[in-house]
Amino acid sequence: NAGVMQNPRHLVRRRGQEARLRCSPMKGHSHVYWYRQLPEEGLKFMVYLQKENIIDESGMPKERFSAEFPKEGPSILRIQQVVRGDSAAYFCASSPTDPSYEQYFGPGTRLTVT
Amino acid sequence: AQKVTQAQTEISVVEKEDVTLDCVYETRDTTYYLFWYKQPPSGELVFLIRRNSFDEQNEISGRYSWNFQKSTSSFNFTITASQVVDSAVYFCALSEVDSSYKLIFGSGTRLLVRP
């Protein structure tokens, strides 16, 4: 059973470009969470999705950030017009049908904005 | 409001020493879950343990043990006979039924085990 997959592992974007981060949850998991880890900081919740639904986006910046989890395919975290402050590690996590269970994390995508 | 505090920013020990990582949490919910995750230098996050608020039994898994005390809102983590491979950042986290189970992380404790 493959773990949570994220790609790309490393992404370099120039200021103003768009960044697309992908996450495939573990097989059988229907809950996806995105977290951001700024350099030398802890992890902060961004958004929680189930298939075709955003359940909680209270941690998402109001502008430039969006997320989706379509019926088919991976969850996507999209950052438009990236700025240097977006440089961080973005982690995706998934949990099984009961979301109270532990979340399993992907390896993360390290975004660098130049 | 929910909050997780890991007051120890960094701990350095010599191999084979025992070390305890502290975690204090705040929540208004009666049903909640506590977790520990390990982040080694390679950067991934490794799940270690999950505890629900109704189960205060301590747990031991090999060299790892956890002490959950609701009376002091603490969920401490002890590594016995530490090894160099235990060097990592350890995060304590809280999730609540009323907050969509999102993980609220502490700021982490960096553990360095010296040979």
Side-chain angles (χ1 to χ4, degrees), chain B residues 40-85:
Chain B
S42 50
E44 74 272 23
L45 281 150
V46 179
F47 164 75
L48 295 177
I49 190 170
R50 165 186 176 269
R51 257 294 178 261
N52 75 54
S53 51
F54 300 108
D55 182 2
E56 284 193 74
Q57 274 195 332
N58 291 331
E59 181 151 343
I60 298 174
S61 175
R63 297 184 296 108
Y64 295 170
S65 61
W66 291 270
N67 180 255
F68 176 27
Q69 292 196 336
K70 283 178 81 168
S71 60
T72 55
S73 297
S74 64
F75 186 43
N76 296 338
F77 172 30
T78 297
I79 302 174
T80 303
S82 60
Q83 300 176 1
V84 172
V85 293

Coordinates of all heavy atoms in Angstrom, one line a residue, chain B residues 40-85:
Chain B
P40 N 12.7 13.8 11.0 CA 14.1 13.6 10.9 C 14.7 14.6 10.0 O 14.0 15.3 9.2 CB 14.3 12.2 10.4 CG 13.0 11.9 9.7 CD 11.9 12.7 10.4
P41 N 16.0 14.7 9.9 CA 16.7 15.7 9.0 C 16.3 15.6 7.6 O 16.4 16.5 6.8 CB 18.2 15.4 9.2 CG 18.3 14.8 10.6 CD 17.0 14.0 10.8
S42 N 15.8 14.4 7.1 CA 15.4 14.2 5.7 C 14.1 15.0 5.5 O 13.8 15.2 4.3 CB 15.2 12.7 5.4 OG 14.4 12.1 6.4
G43 N 13.4 15.4 6.5 CA 12.3 16.3 6.3 C 10.9 15.7 6.3 O 9.9 16.4 6.4
E44 N 10.7 14.4 6.2 CA 9.4 13.8 6.2 C 8.8 13.8 7.6 O 9.5 14.0 8.6 CB 9.4 12.4 5.6 CG 9.9 11.3 6.5 CD 11.4 11.2 6.4 OE1 12.1 12.1 5.9 OE2 11.9 10.1 6.8
L45 N 7.5 13.6 7.7 CA 6.9 13.6 9.0 C 6.4 12.2 9.3 O 5.6 11.6 8.5 CB 5.7 14.5 9.0 CG 6.0 16.0 9.2 CD1 5.0 16.9 8.6 CD2 6.1 16.3 10.7
V46 N 6.8 11.7 10.4 CA 6.5 10.3 10.7 C 5.6 10.2 11.9 O 5.9 10.8 13.0 CB 7.8 9.5 11.1 CG1 7.5 8.1 11.4 CG2 8.8 9.6 9.9
F47 N 4.5 9.6 11.8 CA 3.5 9.4 12.9 C 4.1 8.5 13.9 O 4.6 7.4 13.6 CB 2.2 8.9 12.3 CG 1.2 8.3 13.3 CD1 0.5 9.2 14.1 CD2 1.1 7.0 13.5 CE1 -0.3 8.7 15.1 CE2 0.3 6.5 14.5 CZ -0.5 7.3 15.3
L48 N 3.9 8.9 15.2 CA 4.4 8.1 16.3 C 3.3 7.5 17.1 O 3.2 6.3 17.5 CB 5.3 8.9 17.2 CG 6.6 9.3 16.6 CD1 7.4 10.2 17.6 CD2 7.5 8.2 16.1
I49 N 2.3 8.4 17.5 CA 1.2 7.9 18.4 C 0.0 8.8 18.3 O 0.2 10.0 18.0 CB 1.7 7.8 19.9 CG1 0.7 7.1 20.7 CG2 2.0 9.2 20.4 CD1 1.1 6.8 22.1
R50 N -1.1 8.3 18.6 CA -2.4 9.0 18.7 C -3.1 8.6 20.0 O -3.0 7.4 20.3 CB -3.3 8.6 17.5 CG -4.8 9.0 17.7 CD -5.6 8.5 16.5 NE -7.0 8.7 16.6 CZ -7.9 7.9 17.1 NH1 -7.4 6.8 17.7 NH2 -9.1 8.1 17.1
R51 N -3.6 9.6 20.7 CA -4.3 9.3 22.0 C -5.6 10.0 21.9 O -5.7 11.2 21.5 CB -3.5 9.8 23.1 CG -2.8 8.8 24.0 CD -3.6 7.9 24.7 NE -3.0 6.9 25.5 CZ -2.9 5.7 25.0 NH1 -3.2 5.3 23.8 NH2 -2.4 4.7 25.8
N52 N -6.7 9.4 22.4 CA -8.0 10.2 22.5 C -8.1 10.6 23.9 O -7.5 10.1 24.9 CB -9.2 9.4 22.0 CG -9.6 8.3 22.9 OD1 -9.9 8.6 24.1 ND2 -9.7 7.1 22.4
S53 N -9.0 11.6 24.1 CA -9.1 12.3 25.4 C -9.7 11.4 26.5 O -9.7 11.8 27.7 CB -9.9 13.6 25.3 OG -11.2 13.3 24.6
F54 N -10.3 10.3 26.1 CA -10.9 9.4 27.1 C -10.0 8.3 27.6 O -10.4 7.5 28.4 CB -12.2 8.8 26.6 CG -13.2 9.9 26.2 CD1 -13.5 10.2 24.9 CD2 -13.8 10.7 27.2 CE1 -14.4 11.2 24.5 CE2 -14.7 11.6 26.8 CZ -15.0 11.9 25.5
D55 N -8.8 8.3 27.0 CA -7.9 7.2 27.3 C -6.6 7.7 27.9 O -5.7 8.2 27.2 CB -7.6 6.4 26.0 CG -6.7 5.2 26.3 OD1 -6.3 5.0 27.5 OD2 -6.3 4.5 25.3
E56 N -6.5 7.7 29.2 CA -5.4 8.3 29.9 C -4.3 7.2 30.2 O -3.4 7.5 31.0 CB -5.8 9.0 31.2 CG -6.5 10.3 31.0 CD -6.6 11.1 32.2 OE1 -5.6 11.7 32.7 OE2 -7.7 11.2 32.8
Q57 N -4.5 6.1 29.7 CA -3.5 5.0 30.0 C -2.2 5.4 29.3 O -2.1 5.9 28.2 CB -3.9 3.7 29.4 CG -4.8 2.9 30.3 CD -4.9 1.4 29.8 OE1 -4.8 1.2 28.6 NE2 -5.1 0.5 30.7
N58 N -1.1 5.3 30.0 CA 0.2 5.5 29.5 C 0.5 4.4 28.5 O 0.0 3.3 28.5 CB 1.3 5.5 30.6 CG 1.1 6.8 31.4 OD1 0.7 7.8 31.0 ND2 1.5 6.7 32.7
E59 N 1.4 4.7 27.5 CA 1.7 3.7 26.5 C 3.2 3.6 26.3 O 3.9 4.6 26.5 CB 1.1 4.1 25.2 CG 1.4 3.2 24.0 CD 0.3 3.1 23.0 OE1 -0.8 3.6 23.3 OE2 0.6 2.6 21.9
I60 N 3.6 2.4 26.1 CA 5.0 2.1 25.9 C 5.2 1.4 24.6 O 4.4 0.4 24.3 CB 5.6 1.3 27.0 CG1 5.5 2.0 28.3 CG2 7.1 0.9 26.7 CD1 6.0 1.2 29.5
S61 N 6.1 1.8 23.8 CA 6.4 1.1 22.5 C 7.9 1.1 22.3 O 8.5 2.0 21.9 CB 5.7 1.9 21.3 OG 6.1 1.2 20.1
G62 N 8.5 0.0 22.7 CA 9.9 -0.2 22.6 C 10.6 0.8 23.6 O 10.3 0.9 24.8
R63 N 11.4 1.7 23.0 CA 12.1 2.7 23.9 C 11.3 4.0 24.1 O 11.7 4.9 24.8 CB 13.5 3.1 23.2 CG 14.4 1.9 23.1 CD 15.8 2.4 22.5 NE 15.6 2.9 21.1 CZ 15.7 4.2 20.8 NH1 15.9 5.1 21.7 NH2 15.6 4.5 19.5
Y64 N 10.1 4.0 23.4 CA 9.3 5.2 23.5 C 8.2 5.0 24.6 O 7.6 3.9 24.6 CB 8.6 5.5 22.2 CG 9.5 5.9 21.0 CD1 9.0 6.0 19.7 CD2 10.9 6.2 21.2 CE1 9.8 6.3 18.7 CE2 11.7 6.5 20.2 CZ 11.1 6.6 18.9 OH 12.0 7.0 17.8
S65 N 7.9 6.0 25.3 CA 6.7 6.0 26.2 C 6.0 7.3 26.2 O 6.7 8.4 26.0 CB 7.1 5.5 27.6 OG 8.0 6.4 28.2
W66 N 4.8 7.3 26.5 CA 4.0 8.6 26.5 C 3.2 8.6 27.8 O 2.6 7.6 28.2 CB 3.0 8.6 25.3 CG 3.8 8.8 24.0 CD1 4.1 10.0 23.4 CD2 4.3 7.7 23.2 NE1 4.8 9.7 22.3 CE2 4.9 8.4 22.1 CE3 4.3 6.4 23.3 CZ2 5.5 7.6 21.1 CZ3 4.9 5.6 22.3 CH2 5.5 6.3 21.2
N67 N 3.2 9.8 28.4 CA 2.4 10.0 29.6 C 1.4 11.1 29.4 O 1.7 12.3 29.2 CB 3.4 10.5 30.8 CG 2.7 10.7 32.1 OD1 2.5 11.8 32.5 ND2 2.3 9.7 32.7
F68 N 0.1 10.7 29.5 CA -1.0 11.6 29.2 C -1.7 11.9 30.5 O -2.1 11.0 31.2 CB -2.0 10.9 28.2 CG -3.2 11.7 28.0 CD1 -3.3 13.1 28.0 CD2 -4.4 11.0 27.6 CE1 -4.4 13.8 27.8 CE2 -5.6 11.7 27.3 CZ -5.6 13.1 27.4
Q69 N -1.7 13.2 30.9 CA -2.4 13.6 32.2 C -3.4 14.7 31.9 O -2.9 15.9 31.6 CB -1.3 14.0 33.2 CG -0.5 12.9 33.7 CD 0.3 13.3 35.0 OE1 0.5 14.4 35.2 NE2 0.7 12.2 35.7
K70 N -4.6 14.4 31.9 CA -5.7 15.4 31.7 C -5.6 16.5 32.7 O -5.9 17.7 32.5 CB -7.0 14.8 31.6 CG -7.3 14.1 30.3 CD -8.6 13.4 30.2 CE -9.7 14.4 29.9 NZ -11.0 13.7 29.6
S71 N -5.3 16.1 34.0 CA -5.4 17.1 35.1 C -4.4 18.3 34.8 O -4.6 19.4 35.3 CB -5.0 16.4 36.4 OG -3.7 15.8 36.3
T72 N -3.3 18.0 34.1 CA -2.3 19.0 33.9 C -2.3 19.4 32.4 O -1.4 20.1 31.9 CB -0.9 18.6 34.3 OG1 -0.6 17.4 33.7 CG2 -0.9 18.5 35.8
S73 N -3.2 18.8 31.6 CA -3.2 19.1 30.1 C -1.9 18.8 29.5 O -1.4 19.7 28.7 CB -3.7 20.5 29.8 OG -5.0 20.7 30.3
S74 N -1.3 17.7 29.8 CA 0.0 17.4 29.3 C 0.1 16.0 28.6 O -0.7 15.1 29.0 CB 1.1 17.5 30.4 OG 0.9 16.5 31.4
F75 N 0.9 15.9 27.7 CA 1.1 14.7 26.9 C 2.6 14.6 26.6 O 3.0 14.9 25.5 CB 0.3 14.7 25.7 CG 0.2 13.4 24.9 CD1 0.1 12.2 25.5 CD2 0.3 13.4 23.5 CE1 0.1 11.0 24.8 CE2 0.3 12.2 22.8 CZ 0.2 11.0 23.4
N76 N 3.4 14.1 27.6 CA 4.8 14.1 27.5 C 5.3 12.8 26.8 O 4.7 11.7 27.0 CB 5.4 14.3 28.8 CG 5.1 15.7 29.4 OD1 4.8 16.6 28.7 ND2 5.2 15.8 30.7
F77 N 6.5 12.9 26.2 CA 7.1 11.8 25.4 C 8.5 11.6 26.0 O 9.3 12.5 26.0 CB 7.1 12.3 24.0 CG 7.8 11.4 23.0 CD1 7.9 10.0 23.2 CD2 8.4 11.9 21.9 CE1 8.5 9.2 22.3 CE2 9.0 11.1 20.9 CZ 9.1 9.7 21.1
T78 N 8.7 10.3 26.3 CA 10.0 9.9 26.8 C 10.7 8.9 25.9 O 10.1 7.9 25.5 CB 9.9 9.4 28.3 OG1 9.4 10.4 29.1 CG2 11.3 8.9 28.8
I79 N 12.0 9.2 25.6 CA 12.8 8.2 24.9 C 13.8 7.7 25.9 O 14.6 8.4 26.5 CB 13.5 8.9 23.7 CG1 12.5 9.5 22.8 CG2 14.4 7.8 23.0 CD1 13.1 10.3 21.6
T80 N 13.8 6.4 26.0 CA 14.7 5.7 27.0 C 15.9 5.2 26.2 O 15.8 4.8 25.0 CB 14.0 4.5 27.6 OG1 12.8 4.9 28.3 CG2 14.9 3.8 28.6
A81 N 17.1 5.4 26.8 CA 18.3 4.9 26.1 C 18.4 5.5 24.7 O 18.5 4.8 23.7 CB 18.4 3.4 26.1
S82 N 18.5 6.8 24.6 CA 18.4 7.5 23.3 C 19.6 7.0 22.4 O 20.7 6.6 22.9 CB 18.5 9.0 23.5 OG 19.7 9.3 24.2
Q83 N 19.3 7.1 21.1 CA 20.3 6.7 20.1 C 20.4 7.9 19.1 O 19.6 8.8 19.0 CB 19.8 5.5 19.4 CG 19.6 4.3 20.2 CD 19.0 3.1 19.5 OE1 18.8 3.2 18.3 NE2 18.8 2.0 20.2
V84 N 21.6 7.9 18.4 CA 21.8 9.0 17.5 C 20.7 9.1 16.5 O 20.3 10.2 16.0 CB 23.2 8.8 16.8 CG1 23.4 9.8 15.7 CG2 24.3 8.8 17.8
V85 N 20.1 8.0 16.1 CA 19.0 8.0 15.1 C 17.8 8.7 15.6 O 16.8 9.0 14.8 CB 18.7 6.6 14.6 CG1 19.8 6.0 13.8 CG2 18.3 5.7 15.7

